[in-house]
Amino acid sequence: PSPRSCQLNGGSEEALQCEIEELKQKDLALDQEIAQFLSEGYSLEELEKHISLLHEYNDIKDAGQMLLGKLAVIRGVTTKQLYPEYDLELSD
């Protein structure tokens, strides 16, 4: 079931069952992805460390984006206009 089909009925029992099924499918997909990494020689500790570092990176990036946004508001420009000033790529 697609997420859209689960949201149609709001909090109905059918929608909740649909959401549960989606979560089970996501769980299975993640288990398969982990198994793939393990079969490639990665350890659970490496995977957990990598995930932790990705979370830290995303938190830092989010903070930087918030600061750029506040600076853009103060200067009356768009965030995009600040990127060249700080040698940032739009994909950063």
Side-chain angles (χ1 to χ4, degrees):
S2 69
R4 183 175 303 209
S5 66
C6 289
Q7 294 174 354
L8 292 177
N9 296 325
S12 73
E13 186 173 334
E14 182 180 320
L16 292 174
Q17 288 298 329
C18 184
E19 189 172 347
I20 288 169
E21 186 58 36
E22 282 182 1
L23 291 172
K24 286 179 182 179
Q25 289 175 5
K26 286 181 184 180
D27 185 48
L28 178 61
L30 289 172
D31 285 345
Q32 290 171 343
E33 196 172 338
I34 290 170
Q36 175 68 32
F37 284 125
L38 293 175
S39 73
E40 293 173 4
Y42 294 98
S43 69
L44 284 177
E45 293 79 21
E46 282 179 296
L47 295 174
E48 288 172 2
K49 178 67 174 172
H50 187 71
I51 290 169
S52 175
L53 290 171
L54 284 172
H55 283 295
E56 185 177 349
Y57 167 81
N58 285 329
D59 289 344
I60 292 168
K61 184 176 178 181
D62 289 346
Q65 289 294 323
M66 286 187 339
L67 289 172
L68 275 177
K70 290 185 182 295
L71 183 59
V73 168
I74 290 169
R75 291 190 181 177
V77 298
T78 65
T79 303
K80 183 179 178 180
Q81 290 171 310
L82 293 176
Y83 273 57
E85 184 177 337
Y86 295 98
D87 296 323
L88 298 171
E89 299 291 326
L90 288 178
S91 60
D92 283 342

